[in-house]
C-alpha cells in the first residue's frame, strides 16, 4: 500500500500494521509502520472518519535531509528552509494532527529533532552544524477560492 496527502507531498510506502474499517466510514490505524520515500521510517496510530474527524500520531525516524526531501516541500515551507541552505544530516519528527469537528481545520503539531545538519544562512559567513530540537506549529489560512490548496505557515 502507498499513500500520499496533498498538503504533505512526501509519499509513504510499504505499510505494515493493523488497519480496521469502522462503522460509518472510518479507519482505525494501529502500529502502522511504513517507509518514507527518500529514506527513513515511521510509525502511525490514529483514526480517520471521512476526513471530517482526524486524529493521527506519527513518529518518523532517521529521515535524511537532502535535496530529494527538500524538493518535495511546499513552496511556502521551502521559503522558510531555503535561506538556511541545509545540507546533510538526518532528522526525527513527531507529528500530531487533530481535527475534532467537521467544521474545523486540521491542527498539526510538529516536533523535530535535527542531527548533524549543516546550515549556512546567507547573512552568516561560516557553516553551522545543527543538532537539537524545534517545535513547529503549522497554521492554515483560509483559501480564497473553493478547492484552493492550503499552504502552511511555520512559526518557530
Amino acid at each position: 500500500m502507498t499513500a500520499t496527502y496533498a498538503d504533505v507531498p512526501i509519499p509513504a510506502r510499504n505499510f505494515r500494521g493493523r488497519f480496521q474499517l469502522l462503522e460509518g466510514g472510518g479507519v482505525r490505524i494501529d502500529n502502522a509502520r511504513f517507509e518514507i520515500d527518500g529514506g527513513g521510517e515511521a510509525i502511525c496510530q490514529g483514526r480517520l472518519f471521512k476526513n471530517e474527524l482526524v486524529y493521527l500520531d506519527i513518529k518518523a525516524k532517521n529521515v535524511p535531509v537532502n535535496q530529494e526531501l527538500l524538493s518535495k516541500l511546499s513552496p511556502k515551507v521551502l521559503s522558510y528552509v531555503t535561506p538556511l541552505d541545509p545540507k546533510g544530516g538526518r532528522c526525527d519528527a513527531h507529528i500530531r494532527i487533530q481535527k475534532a469537528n467537521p467544521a474545523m481545520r486540521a491542527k498539526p503539531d510538529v516536533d523535530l529533532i535535527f542531527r548533524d545538519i549543516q546550515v549556512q544562512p546567507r547573512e552568516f559567513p561560516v557553516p553551522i552544524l545543527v543538532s537539537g530540537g524545534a517545535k513547529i506549529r503549522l497554521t492554515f489560512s483560509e483559501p480564497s477560492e473553493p478547492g484552493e490548496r492550503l499552504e502552511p505557515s511555520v512559526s518557530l
Side-chain angles (χ1 to χ4, degrees):
M1 180 165 116
T2 299
T4 58
Y5 177 62
D7 290 313
V8 183
I10 301 171
R13 61 185 185 312
N14 297 330
F15 282 84
R16 302 166 308 282
R18 183 175 173 204
F19 298 85
Q20 179 183 5
L21 298 177
L22 303 173
E23 191 173 323
V27 177
R28 179 179 173 170
I29 303 165
D30 288 320
N31 288 324
R33 296 178 184 278
F34 56 92
E35 296 171 14
I36 299 166
D37 198 23
E41 58 188 18
I43 186 167
C44 178
Q45 310 277 353
R47 292 180 186 219
L48 305 168
F49 291 95
K50 298 181 185 175
N51 199 29
E52 294 177 359
L53 305 174
V54 176
Y55 174 76
L56 292 174
D57 188 291
I58 304 164
K59 294 178 182 171
K61 299 258 182 219
N62 214 23
V63 179
V65 177
N66 55 28
Q67 198 55 45
E68 183 177 359
L69 174 69
L70 298 177
S71 72
K72 294 175 182 172
L73 298 177
S74 74
K76 182 78 170 180
V77 172
L78 194 57
S79 73
Y80 293 106
V81 175
T82 300
L84 299 174
D85 193 22
K87 292 182 178 72
R90 296 194 172 262
C91 73
D92 297 339
H94 185 188
I95 304 160
R96 293 160 306 282
I97 302 171
Q98 296 183 52
K99 182 179 177 186
N101 180 319
M104 295 172 51
R105 295 219 182 275
K107 293 185 177 181
D109 267 335
V110 181
D111 295 320
L112 296 173
I113 302 296
F114 303 112
R115 288 191 312 282
D116 302 327
I117 297 172
Q118 180 179 308
V119 295
Q120 187 166 0
R122 292 182 185 137
E123 299 80 23
F124 201 72
V126 296
I128 303 167
L129 191 61
V130 177
S131 289
K135 180 163 183 71
I136 299 171
R137 177 153 293 134
L138 299 169
T139 55
F140 294 87
S141 56
E142 295 293 326
S144 58
E145 297 179 22
E148 183 177 285
R149 184 174 164 169
L150 300 174
E151 292 288 349
S153 62
V154 179
S155 58
L156 297 175

